[in-house]
DNA sequence: ATTATTATCGAAAACGTTTTCGAAATTACC
DNA sequence: GGTAATTTCGAAAACGTTTTCGATAATAAT
């Protein structure tokens, strides 16, 4: 029960390995009859090329690497799904690694993928990422490279993003349209670009609607968890009893806020309106249902792979390639928490 | 800017490729001085072995394949996390593919992985799986193979499972202990073994507590979705107005039931008590909080990889290997829906 | 001084494929 | 019939590593 090789097929057919290889790959310089006999024997033996040998010879593995902060996350698992599906359509497989929001690990995972010699890398940065010189080595080694969601603007790669600032602006405007006058913001950690952009969108929306910005109304998350949401909800009530709206960095935290308000009989949306971000599945099944910003996660994955494929093609054909950035649309989903 | 190879190191040092390779791999038959010079040059050039060549030579890729029905799922993404982390600790990377609960796709994904020549395969079957002869080819080709969660008992591979029957029994007993007399069961699809086992546990718990089993109280899911939960909630209310407890195949569906009851002012747990299965994250943030069966998903992933590693080791050393089955413990988590 | 032992090295084969280049055989053309 | 064009094939190199096995040189033992 050995592996079938070209050599074995060649020997039983009394022809050369070269001809067998050519027959299987549809080269024109092989006689129709021999081609047929090779194909027949190959399929009856269930021949499949040894991918290790093919990789070595062709210098590509038809495999890409994906590094994300966390697999157990509705947004990221949707992105993963988008990437895997699009990759498979194009004959690529996906190796997934997690940074667990750790800079150390993120660097290590990238090196693992480089040593593995994947054909390309897709990444969403961890929150800790502040000094992304190690990303530069991906570019330097000319490995096709796409960033999505949490990106580094400094690294010249293709990117798939949403316009966080605009989306946040619309979310806060939604609260204002619904009558909110004093709006708090539970923001993300200091470093990630998207936390910064959402904060800027919040600020701009206030200014454009003649609400003076008050930095004491901004609460920065460290871990972006359900528990933090509960904590901040309590803090906000203690600090500002007249807050009537909260824009939260992401649904996970917003659900924590909601949980605290439910436990303490704070009426949502009557007393305080809440809007989250990301349209996490959970937000439509809690009480009250959470208004949020829909972020096209699956599509983000698809687009990220498509951009990577573009670059992989270009590199293979030695064509020039300039990175592209795709900005996907978001939309406000109005539910009970802002009625 | 070429790739660094052993040959280049050998040439600049004026020694043979053999010695360079041996020096890097710590063979004893290389002089300490030459060993040091090789190590120095290698690290200064940032040499990393070409994994394609290593794969071909060693006939292993330090990569395993994982096939699951769906990535976007709290249970599975936790398993993925467990597998990835444990794999990485042992120097393995993980390729993930989805079956989307389709038999066709499941077969295709397995073939992809076999052709890719991964060192091992971990799988959780799709609901459609009824005729698993294509799993046999994994065994026949002597590819290390582990099943988890949704398994085929007929295929002699290592397995990581929970005792679904026992867990379901405990869940239903919990309802009975809380005073339920007429308990409905929203069960999973017909085929999967774990849906069958949970149903059997439900039935046995009733019988052991002198409640006569009534098949009209059993509602089989097709798609195991939130929406189906809402539908069945309505159906149960229409069919049996005196139902006072429901055991639901999984939290996703249970949350649907809860949503319908919330909308129609059915009091949970006063009027009807509900217990789910899997301890989905969401179940602790909805209102009322859902009682459920905790399923150790992350640990399941870890154990699955460990079993796979055992078999990969054994195969490599040509040692005999007999498949093992690990059964993990579950526990009842009591929350508001069964107070 | 001779033999036995040990330390150190490298030639070469092997893994299985792809592709270049030239040779041989066949066909077409005048 | 001879030459040119075309069809069909295969030898060989290459991808970069690992490992076997034998050779040489240095040292130890007698």
């Amino acid at each position: 029960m050995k592996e079938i090789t070209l050599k074995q097929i060649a020997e039983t057919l009394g022809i050369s390995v070269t001809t067998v290889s050519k027959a299987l790959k549809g080269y024109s310089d092989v006689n129709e009859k021999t081609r047929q006999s090779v194909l027949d024997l190959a399929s009856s033996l269930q021949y499949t090329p040894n991918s290790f040998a093919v990789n070595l010879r062709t210098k590509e593995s038809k495999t890409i690497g994906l590094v994300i902060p966390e697999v157990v996350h509705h947004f990221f698992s949707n992105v993963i799904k988008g990437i895997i599906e699009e990759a498979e359509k194009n004959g690529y497989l996906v190796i997934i690694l997690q940074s667990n929001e750790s800079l150390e690990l993120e660097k290590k995972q990238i090196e693992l993928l480089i040593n593995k010699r994947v054909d390309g890398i897709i990444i969403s940065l961890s929150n800790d990422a502040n000094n992304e010189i190690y990303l530069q080595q991906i570019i330097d080694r000319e490995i096709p490279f796409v960033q999505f969601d949490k990106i580094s603007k400094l690294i010249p790669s293709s990117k798939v993003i949403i316009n966080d600032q605009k989306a946040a602006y619309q979310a806060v405007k939604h609260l204002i349209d619904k009558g909110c006058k004093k709006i708090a913001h539970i923001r993300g950690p200091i470093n990630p670009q998207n936390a910064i952009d959402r904060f800027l969108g919040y600020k701009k929306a206030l200014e454009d609607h003649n609400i003076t910005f008050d930095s004491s109304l901004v609460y920065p998350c460290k871990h972006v968890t359900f528990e933090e949401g509960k904590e901040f909800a309590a803090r906000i009530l203690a600090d500002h009893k007249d807050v009537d709206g909260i824009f939260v960095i992401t649904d996970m935290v917003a659900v924590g806020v909601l949980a605290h308000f439910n436990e303490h009989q704070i009426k949502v949306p009557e007393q305080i309106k809440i809007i989250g971000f990301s349209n996490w599945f959970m937000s439509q099944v809690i009480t009250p249902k959470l208004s949020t910003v829909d972020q096209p996660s699956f599509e983000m994955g698809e687009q990220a792979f498509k951009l990577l494929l573009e670059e992989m093609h270009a590199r293979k054909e030695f064509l020039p390639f300039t990175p592209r950035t795709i900005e996907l649309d978001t939309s406000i989903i109005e539910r009970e928490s802002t009625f």
Side-chain angles (χ1 to χ4, degrees), chain A:
Chain A
M1 171 91 199
K2 288 178 201 164
E3 303 278 344
I4 313 295
T5 67
L6 291 184
K7 196 176 169 188
Q8 291 177 40
I9 296 181
E11 278 169 2
T12 55
L13 252 43
I15 57 179
S16 76
V17 171
T18 306
T19 305
V20 175
S21 173
K22 285 181 181 171
L24 290 169
K25 304 204 73 190
Y27 276 57
S28 60
D29 66 341
V30 37
N31 187 298
E32 176 56 26
K33 259 201 280 185
T34 54
R35 201 183 71 88
Q36 205 45 254
S37 66
V38 168
L39 259 49
D40 289 347
L41 184 56
S43 81
S44 81
L45 292 177
Q46 296 195 59
Y47 167 81
T48 57
N50 182 312
S51 65
F52 298 157
V54 176
N55 291 348
L56 177 60
R57 178 61 222 230
T58 61
K59 294 179 182 302
E60 57 175 15
S61 59
K62 294 284 180 182
T63 306
I64 67 161
L66 171 62
V67 181
I68 51 172
E70 170 68 60
V71 171
V72 186
H73 196 294
H74 191 253
F75 172 73
F76 283 121
S77 51
N78 266 300
V79 176
I80 291 175
K81 186 171 173 153
I83 292 176
I84 290 183
E85 287 198 8
E86 192 64 27
E88 195 177 348
K89 276 185 208 161
N90 292 278
Y92 283 81
L93 296 178
V94 185
I95 289 172
I96 299 175
L97 289 169
Q98 301 187 91
S99 64
N100 281 332
E101 297 286 4
S102 140
L103 193 63
E104 286 305 310
L105 217 49
E106 189 170 287
K107 278 171 67 172
K108 186 189 159 200
Q109 311 297 34
I110 290 172
E111 271 157 23
L112 265 180
L113 291 174
I114 291 178
N115 291 347
K116 186 79 184 177
R117 282 172 162 74
V118 291
D119 297 344
I121 295 177
I122 299 178
I123 194 169
S124 179
L125 296 179
S126 68
N127 285 333
D128 275 2
N130 52 353
N131 183 2
E132 305 92 347
I133 37 168
Y134 57 93
L135 294 182
Q136 189 60 44
Q137 67 174 317
I138 304 179
I139 310 267
D140 291 345
R141 296 195 188 215
E142 302 192 334
I143 300 172
F145 180 40
V146 173
Q147 301 184 70
F148 74 91
D149 193 45
K150 284 189 280 188
I151 61 159
S152 162
K153 286 188 175 168
L154 302 173
I155 302 290
S157 76
S158 285
K159 302 179 179 83
V160 184
I161 50 173
I162 57 166
N163 190 328
D164 279 288
Q165 189 167 338
K166 187 171 145 200
Y169 183 98
Q170 289 169 343
V172 176
K173 181 172 182 301
H174 174 72
L175 290 176
I176 295 170
D177 289 346
K178 289 291 174 177
C180 296
K181 305 285 184 201
K182 187 161 186 179
I183 300 171
H185 176 34
I186 301 182
R187 59 161 287 169
I190 308 302
N191 282 320
Q193 190 63 47
N194 59 3
I196 297 170
D197 286 339
R198 289 178 201 177
F199 166 70
L200 292 176
Y202 158 79
K203 200 171 164 188
K204 186 152 195 304
L206 296 184
E207 287 163 356
D208 283 2
H209 295 82
N210 301 315
I211 303 180
T212 44
F213 167 71
D214 174 359
S215 66
S216 75
L217 284 168
V218 177
Y219 295 79
C221 284
K222 281 190 180 160
H223 310 293
V224 200
T225 58
F226 177 76
E227 284 72 22
E228 249 182 344
K230 291 176 84 166
E231 283 172 34
F232 283 128
R235 289 253 302 275
I236 289 174
L237 287 180
D239 294 352
H240 308 275
K241 50 189 74 167
D242 51 345
V243 158
D244 56 6
I246 309 179
F247 166 50
V248 189
I249 181 79
T250 190
D251 285 355
M252 171 69 100
V253 179
V255 170
V257 173
L258 227 38
H260 183 266
F261 287 174
N262 280 341
E263 282 168 18
H264 293 76
Q265 283 81 42
I266 309 291
K267 297 274 183 196
V268 176
E270 294 80 357
Q271 188 172 343
I272 304 183
K273 301 190 201 304
I274 303 178
I275 188 163
F277 206 108
S278 287
N279 193 21
W280 218 37
F281 177 81
M282 176 195 296
S283 60
Q284 58 188 293
V285 301
I286 55 168
T287 309
K289 291 182 184 132
L290 181 70
S291 296
T292 188
V293 177
D294 186 49
Q295 206 177 352
S297 45
F298 181 84
E299 195 188 346
M300 213 159 189
E302 286 182 319
Q303 296 295 337
F305 182 82
K306 281 182 184 168
L307 279 182
L308 192 69
L309 190 63
E310 270 184 29
E311 187 170 352
M312 291 191 295
H313 273 336
R315 290 247 180 274
K316 203 173 165 182
E317 313 286 338
F318 299 102
L319 299 172
F321 178 79
T322 37
R324 288 203 296 138
T325 294
I326 293 181
E327 190 177 295
L328 297 178
D329 285 335
T330 55
S331 58
I332 301 292
I333 297 185
E334 180 177 342
R335 297 205 186 94
E336 294 163 2
S337 70
T338 60
F339 272 170

